[in-house]
Amino acid sequence: MGHPTILTVDDDPSVSRAIARDLRRKYGEEYRVLRASSAAEALDALRELKLRGGRVAVLLADYRMPQMNGIEFLEQAMDLFPNARRALLTAYADTDAAIQAINLVDVDHYLLKPWDPPEEKLYPVLDALLDAWQATGDHEIEDIRVVGHRWSEPSYQIRDFLARNLVPYRWLGADDPEGRRLLEAAGVGPEAVPLVVTADGRAMSQPSTTEVAEAAGLAVTPGRDFYDLIIVGGGPAGLGAAVYGASEGLKTLLVERSAVGGQAGQSSRIENYLGFPDGISGAQLTDRARRQAGKFEAEVLNTREVTGLRLDGSARTLTFADGGEISAHSVVLATGVAYRPLTAEGVARLTGSGVYYGSASTEGPACAGADVFIVGGANSAGQAALFFSRYARRVTLLVRGDSLESSMSYYLIQQLNRTENVQVRTQCEVIGAHGDGHLQAITICENKGSLETTVECGALFIFIGAEPRTDWLGETVARDERGFVFTGPDLLANGSRPKGWDRDRDPFYLECSVPGIFAAGDVRANSVKRVASAVGEGAMAVTLVHRYLEAQ
């Protein structure tokens, strides 16, 4: 197949020659560097590469070009090479416009012109993009095919699982010609969906997420019996702990029940995270953090639900729902929180069939031209409203409180106000969901019960607070009345250490009521519910793990 390609497109001949020269000097031995003088010329080159079975690693496009700008080019290029990494070249004067345009397409980075010296301003960015491309491989999105029904909750669960774990797949309706052909080839009917067909042609009817994870190449069994550190939960706090634990030499295992990234991984755009002035999607942040953890040889265990925590002398043992066990010197609890269920009539019956918890980004294209409603008034709800506004005819944010100011970041409120097809309605609650087989309408109660209206609804996304779901811990570690885990100073009552504490010291800041067990991120009582603070606590927990292990 030859060397993979790095393609640059810029209508300025001098810039085009300069970047091709710098790229060839650094990457010419392992990559083929092509340059084009227009988007149309670049698309022709990509089509020819596609026909010849070529591979494209990175696309670099100038933001401001005649006829077709860089964003428009990258949108079309993604259809040909969806796994290629993408970056914009932009002048300083166009930075703000480029940043706003990046929100329209999944661009990995932007580079300012000029990029001198390239050793500082060009090569580090290209190195990261190429590492990311190599990590995902050359598989096309058709490698895994999922056949299902649009309004089937099991079909949605499989699609959501693959999407959140960043596994490329192709979705086919059971009524589509190709979908029917796959069902027939597998010897099953439409009642057997979801049907998952792997790259090697193996068909799985109504598989579990563990079976799907194995088929997708995700690790579902640990590589050893004992670790220095086990992290429960793969959100920002867990990923932060995994990166720092593994990079500092600890044998580290991260255990995730559903999808690495947690709730943050579902965010369409995080714009207040330090170091990303143009924002970053939750999926991008998750992908980078997971690859970073893998770089330091942290293990990630997928689709394993932890159901118990036991003390075996100096070892801390976790038990799984399937009866398995794994032990370590120390444990970091980073399970985050889950969205609180909406108890309105009809919601449970239609969950997965028009009613969803979290942003469910897989449903974005399906909401084209529809009226979408989002319940909640915090940042996650605001980010979802902006995401679905790209597809839906209208997005309505239903907020129980009197305003957004007390619960949502100012920058998000400003963006919502500037988005024409987003409406914010306060003092509203959803009290019913209606539909035959899928969601068709919702009933809204307004002004504290004085008015009820039923409106058509294409999709309902719910973000109404969070629960820690730490019942599996039982009495092992101290928790507050809501289930959040007490740590450090919160464990000291009138200067007294927690019951059963057997050390001649107070608990470390993030340490639980049992020595060697730590909590980080949203699951911790009185924590700051922000991505940056969760990552910081994950890193801090590893420092405290070292202090604990040194005293053993």
Side-chain angles (χ1 to χ4, degrees), residues 85-107:
R85 295 292 160 162
R86 300 166 288 276
L88 279 175
L89 294 168
T90 181
Y92 182 80
D94 293 326
T95 300
D96 289 341
I99 289 171
Q100 293 174 14
I102 282 173
N103 292 326
L104 301 176
V105 63
D106 191 13
V107 173

Side-chain angles (χ1 to χ4, degrees), residues 369-400:
D371 287 338
V372 169
F373 288 80
I374 295 173
V375 182
N379 281 7
S380 53
Q383 291 161 350
L386 292 171
F387 172 75
F388 286 106
S389 70
R390 307 177 199 170
Y391 304 96
R393 184 175 73 90
R394 181 173 59 231
V395 177
T396 303
L397 198 61
L398 302 176
V399 183
R400 185 172 60 177

Side-chain angles (χ1 to χ4, degrees), residues 318-338:
L318 296 167
T319 58
F320 296 126
D322 61 5
E325 295 184 348
I326 193 75
S327 299
H329 290 300
S330 59
V331 171
V332 171
L333 304 175
T335 50
V337 292

Side-chain angles (χ1 to χ4, degrees), residues 355-432:
V355 176
Y356 308 98
Y357 287 90
S359 63
S361 59
T362 55
E363 301 305 303
C367 293
D371 287 338
V372 169
F373 288 80
I374 295 173
V375 182
N379 281 7
S380 53
Q383 291 161 350
L386 292 171
F387 172 75
F388 286 106
S389 70
R390 307 177 199 170
Y391 304 96
R393 184 175 73 90
R394 181 173 59 231
V395 177
T396 303
L397 198 61
L398 302 176
V399 183
R400 185 172 60 177
D402 296 331
S403 70
L404 292 173
E405 277 70 16
S406 62
S407 57
M408 187 178 293
S409 294
Y410 177 75
Y411 80 91
L412 274 175
I413 296 174
Q414 295 299 102
Q415 289 187 28
L416 291 173
N417 291 336
R418 292 194 299 265
T419 306
E420 292 183 359
N421 63 334
V422 172
Q423 176 187 12
V424 178
R425 294 170 60 177
T426 58
Q427 296 186 347
C428 289
E429 295 184 70
V430 174
I431 60 173

Side-chain angles (χ1 to χ4, degrees), residues 441-455:
I442 58 173
T443 299
I444 303 170
C445 176
E446 301 181 71
N447 298 322
K448 300 179 180 179
S450 62
L451 178 64
E452 291 185 12
T453 56
T454 298
V455 296

